[in-house]
Amino acid sequence: PRFDPAASDRVFRIATTDYGALAMLPSLAPRLARDAPKAGIEIIPVSQDVFRLLTEGQVDVLFYSDNPVPGSFRMRELFLERFVSLVRSGHPLVAADKLAENEISLEAFAACSHVLVTIFGGPTGPVDKELARHGLKRHIAVWVPYFATGAAIAASSDLIVTMPSRVARRLARPLGLVEL
């Protein structure tokens, strides 16, 4: 049967991290309300079982950022993303006017303490791999599974948090964070 969004009362289950929810839902929710006013969206946290849930039909869509996608799933790239680092506006790098033209050296960046957002856990992330290529290592003070939580921690401390730019744009101003 042909899908009629205006008549559908289906709840679409989307598995995603807080990144996917923050990046996609603010534009998706109004469209759903307009085009499918009886339908709903339920966000399911991403877990180690997410691909099994997708296979079993317990999840309709997965917003996933790692490539390649395992198995025989159909995928579509929605957009490319870049990472940015955020600090509170009174951070020593900002307050000491060390932040010239929105850039600091890799050495100064690595010398600071950081929040690491790691969805499935783990001691390091892509930033650490890139720093290692330059012979540098950073101190991770806090590990969290959510970008919003990492941003809130950075807003109340001298820790740096690195995250995708779409989420950073949504969180920076309300939390008083500035981009490095």
Side-chain angles (χ1 to χ4, degrees):
R2 187 160 177 86
F3 177 69
D4 179 8
S8 177
D9 62 356
R10 181 175 178 190
V11 175
F12 295 92
R13 299 183 85 207
I14 300 172
T16 188
T17 62
D18 69 329
Y19 163 71
L22 286 165
M24 300 298 291
L25 287 182
S27 60
L28 182 59
R31 289 186 68 183
L32 183 75
R34 181 189 71 223
D35 297 339
K38 297 176 191 170
I41 296 173
E42 180 182 1
I43 298 300
I44 306 300
V46 171
S47 69
Q48 298 287 357
D49 294 332
V50 72
F51 289 103
R52 180 185 55 77
L53 297 174
L54 194 60
T55 300
E56 294 172 355
Q58 295 181 48
V59 169
D60 298 303
V61 175
L62 167 63
F63 294 149
Y64 185 73
S65 63
D66 292 341
N67 284 319
V69 173
S72 61
F73 296 102
R74 289 183 295 165
M75 66 167 276
R76 174 173 288 161
E77 189 172 274
L78 299 176
F79 47 78
L80 295 176
E81 185 64 279
R82 68 183 188 89
F83 282 83
V84 298
S85 295
L86 301 173
V87 296
R88 67 181 180 86
S89 61
H91 190 280
L93 289 175
V94 176
D97 200 29
K98 293 180 182 175
L99 190 58
E101 299 177 20
N102 283 2
E103 284 190 21
I104 62 169
S105 70
L106 281 178
E107 291 77 15
F109 177 82
C112 293
S113 292
H114 296 255
V115 176
L116 173 64
V117 180
T118 174
I119 307 307
F120 296 121
T124 62
V127 170
D128 302 286
K129 289 177 186 159
E130 186 62 25
L131 287 171
R133 282 187 349 99
H134 297 276
L136 298 169
K137 183 178 178 179
R138 66 180 174 161
H139 171 250
I140 299 171
V142 179
W143 289 259
V144 296
Y146 310 113
F147 290 105
T149 303
I153 292 167
S156 64
S157 69
D158 284 340
L159 301 177
I160 297 173
V161 64
T162 302
M163 64 180 58
S165 64
R166 279 175 178 75
V167 173
R169 283 193 303 262
R170 290 209 180 273
L171 298 174
R173 183 175 292 156
L175 291 173
L177 296 166
V178 295
E179 187 176 321
L180 290 180

